[in-house]
Amino acid sequence: QPVAVAVLGHLEQLALVDFRDAEGVERLRKAIQFADQLHEVNTDGVEPMDSVLEDRCLYLREDDVTEGNCVNELLKNAREKVEEYFVAPPGNIPLPKLEERETFLQGS
Amino acid sequence: GLCQLVWRFQVSAALKEGHVTPTELCRRCLALIKSTRFLNAYITVAEETALKQAEESEKRYKRGQPLGVLDGIPIAVKDNFNTAGIETTCASNMLKGYISPYNATVVQKLLDQGAVLLGKTNLDEFAMGSGSTDGVFGPVRNPWSYSRQYKEKSVPKSHSEDEESNWVITGGSSGGSAAAVSSFTCFAALGSDTGGSTRNPAAHCGVVGLKPTYGLISRHGLIPLVNSMDVPGILTRCVDDAAVVLGSLAGHDPKDSTTIQDNFKPFELPSLPDVSKLSIGIPKEYHAPGLSSEILALWSKAADLFKNAGAKVIEVSLPHTRYSIVCYHVLCTAEVASNMARFDGLEYGHRSDMNKSTESMYAATRREGFNDVVRGRILSGNYFLLKQNYENYFIKAQKVRRLIANDFLKVFGSGVDILLTPTTLSDAVPYREFIKEDNRTRSAQDDILTQAANMAGLPAINVPTALSERGLPVGLQFIGRSFQEKQLLTVAKWFEKQVKFPMIQLEVVKRHNHDVFQHQKSASFS
């Protein structure tokens, strides 16, 4: 069962990752098909499990500042920076709509 | 001489007694890394810093004040652990050139014990894969491809066909670490294990691969794949060495709140382990489709060994085993979708030149930085997390996870101490065979026997057992109760002593002083 183009476009937007080609889309279809086997299992009355350590209390440490002041260290790894800021291109510009975007999905 | 020093504890003794110095040992390992470069086990070799660490260690030994048994011991670390000042790439374009500002806790602990960090080992990109073939630095070659044992058994189809096309994979995703330990370039290596990524390559490379209980060892600094399943893994040439490394790594870390707060006491294994009072469970579902008859026979032989030693060996059932891989597929892709969101080019890693908008920069960066496998998992994960799918896929998988974990609880609750299973379905396949199938298919096939232990958070270990008909290693797996590593390793050590797995007879090209290459049978290693 193929996945709707609208959903594919939506996924690309959410993930900020593209399918790139028909193979990428087929990969998703196979992944869904594979995952559908889960529905063979009867899970009535079963609680979802987040973590195998669910019976334990999460460790919370004291709210004391014990390290930091490493701005220079952290900025070293960024490509675009100005003084102590990471520099991003202009925000609040949504990705072009599917129809306007350069994506092979247009042809589907 | 030095050639005899294969096991860590032998080396420690030698260092203490001054038979060998840390710098000699370090140089020897670095030279061996150079001469085994064709294995592609290492992404980065930290020669300068390693020698410095070795020199410091030497000073301590001269003063008679070594930090412990790991002082001066050369180790390697999988390239998905952060290492301060040393490139950490995860074998991805996304992190090429990324120099970490900090050490992962496990790396820091090893360095604090005086271990010498030789370098970072190769893996599948972002630890996604079961072959160590899908990283940007190319595939890792299994050292056993170049062993006398394998060559004796392989029949070249034609005179021109040589080992170049016949080499076999290491398994994955911690293939580089497994190959590094297997080829004697280090005494221990760190891997990671989310679905079997430490045990699988350990089995194929003939080394011990330990997956500790989830929550025992800190994940701080381990670049995450699946937060609820990832653990650092330990690869060594014998079980005793794994126990020592575990001893230096385990314990609560305030920087990782998923580590348990119980006091951990490092332990030594008994020199003469006794298994006669134990109950060994043989889960029938692990006789999975595709299991080679060879491995089935070895598994059966192993069960007999325990029986003959007086242990109670019984067949048990873990009914949801076959859903483990499907469950993993959904939970893994979902967590990956979340974890990979941090790679946007702003703070670290690759950044695209595209700068029209933040979103388009992010999209272009991720398009350029991730390979197909990673992108595929991100997209799948996002699909399963869509509002309309969340209940049917993600929550459903979490419910199935509980059923899988409960299967184990039931079995261990009925008096079984340890489970004995195969680790892999077959011995290592040739690279050219492996790449015929895609990554997801392969992972689904190869993780079948290892994945459930990650689902349930249980400790598990691969112990090299015997050579296959093709002259390649086959291992068997023991799965233990949560936080019962001592019992698990005791059983593993007993088994190791029984099977006496042969040492690899590696044939390594050695370079002479005058740059003349010469094949030299490293009989000194056997």
Side-chain angles (χ1 to χ4, degrees), chain B residues 113-129:
Chain B
Q113 289 290 306
V116 173
L117 177 56
L118 295 174
K120 309 296 289 298
T121 58
N122 204 353
L123 60 156
D124 283 302
E125 181 161 338
F126 279 110
M128 300 185 199

Side-chain angles (χ1 to χ4, degrees), chain A residues 8-9 12-13 16-17 19 28 30 32 36 45 60 63 69 74 78 85 90 103-104 106:
Chain A
L8 294 176
E12 283 194 337
Q13 198 110 10
L16 287 178
V17 152
F19 284 97
L28 174 66
K30 283 210 190 97
I32 300 169
D36 282 336
L60 294 174
D63 191 14
N69 289 323
L74 296 179
Y85 295 88
T103 164
F104 90 100
Q106 284 172 292

Side-chain angles (χ1 to χ4, degrees), chain B residues 72-92:
Chain B
I73 302 293
I75 55 150
V77 167
K78 186 175 181 181
D79 207 14
N80 60 351
F81 286 92
N82 278 284
T83 43
I86 300 174
E87 196 176 350
T88 299
T89 69
C90 293
S92 175

Side-chain angles (χ1 to χ4, degrees), chain A residues 56-107:
Chain A
R56 293 173 184 259
C57 268
L58 195 67
Y59 170 76
L60 294 174
R61 61 176 198 157
E62 290 305 309
D63 191 14
D64 293 327
V65 175
T66 52
E67 53 185 45
N69 289 323
C70 49
V71 169
N72 291 328
E73 279 300 305
L74 296 179
L75 285 176
K76 268 194 201 141
N77 279 307
R79 213 187 87 170
E80 310 280 341
K81 51 209 171 193
V82 167
E83 292 176 14
E84 293 190 343
Y85 295 88
F86 295 112
V87 179
N92 266 336
I93 303 174
L95 271 183
K97 283 208 176 64
L98 192 62
E99 307 85 67
E100 296 149 26
R101 254 190 293 146
E102 220 187 270
T103 164
F104 90 100
L105 286 176
Q106 284 172 292

Side-chain angles (χ1 to χ4, degrees), chain B residues 93-318:
Chain B
N93 280 321
M94 190 57 93
L95 287 177
K96 248 191 192 166
Y98 167 68
I99 309 282
S100 181
Y102 72 109
N103 281 322
T105 296
V106 289
V107 172
Q108 190 61 55
K109 284 190 169 191
L110 289 174
L111 293 175
D112 288 344
Q113 289 290 306
V116 173
L117 177 56
L118 295 174
K120 309 296 289 298
T121 58
N122 204 353
L123 60 156
D124 283 302
E125 181 161 338
F126 279 110
M128 300 185 199
S130 59
S132 304
T133 52
D134 274 329
V136 293
F137 299 104
V140 186
R141 300 186 180 202
N142 191 327
W144 284 84
S145 312
Y146 304 95
S147 68
R148 194 189 301 167
Q149 291 105 326
Y150 179 59
K151 288 185 188 167
E152 277 171 0
K153 294 294 177 83
S154 52
V155 182
K157 292 195 180 79
S158 70
H159 197 60
S160 56
E161 189 183 281
D162 60 354
E163 61 206 29
E164 275 317 294
S165 55
N166 229 11
W167 60 270
V168 298
I169 59 165
T170 51
S173 62
S174 311
S177 283
V181 172
S182 170
S183 58
F184 306 102
T185 59
C186 61
F187 285 80
L190 290 184
S192 64
D193 198 310
T194 307
S197 290
T198 288
R199 292 160 285 155
N200 174 291
H204 288 316
C205 293
V207 297
V208 171
L210 171 64
K211 175 215 168 293
T213 309
Y214 181 85
L216 185 62
I217 299 188
S218 173
R219 292 181 298 111
H220 175 74
L222 166 60
I223 294 170
L225 189 60
V226 183
N227 300 69
S228 68
M229 295 184 216
D230 290 349
V231 291
I234 297 170
L235 294 132
T236 56
R237 288 192 285 273
C238 68
V239 176
D240 273 323
D241 286 0
V244 168
V245 178
L246 178 70
S248 69
L249 296 181
H252 178 64
D253 180 13
K255 292 182 181 173
D256 177 0
S257 54
T258 62
T259 53
I260 60 158
Q261 296 156 63
D262 301 5
N263 248 327
F264 173 80
K265 277 206 213 86
F267 50 81
E268 248 183 62
L269 301 173
S271 44
L272 293 169
D274 172 25
V275 300
S276 57
K277 297 185 185 63
L278 292 177
S279 169
I280 312 286
I282 311 287
K284 62 182 189 198
E285 291 85 2
Y286 279 65
H287 184 164
L291 184 65
S292 83
S293 49
E294 263 189 321
I295 298 190
L296 182 60
L298 280 170
W299 186 21
S300 180
K301 247 171 112 179
D304 288 340
L305 270 175
F306 282 98
K307 242 180 252 163
N308 295 335
K312 180 165 153 213
V313 179
I314 57 171
E315 190 188 74
V316 296
S317 175
L318 298 167

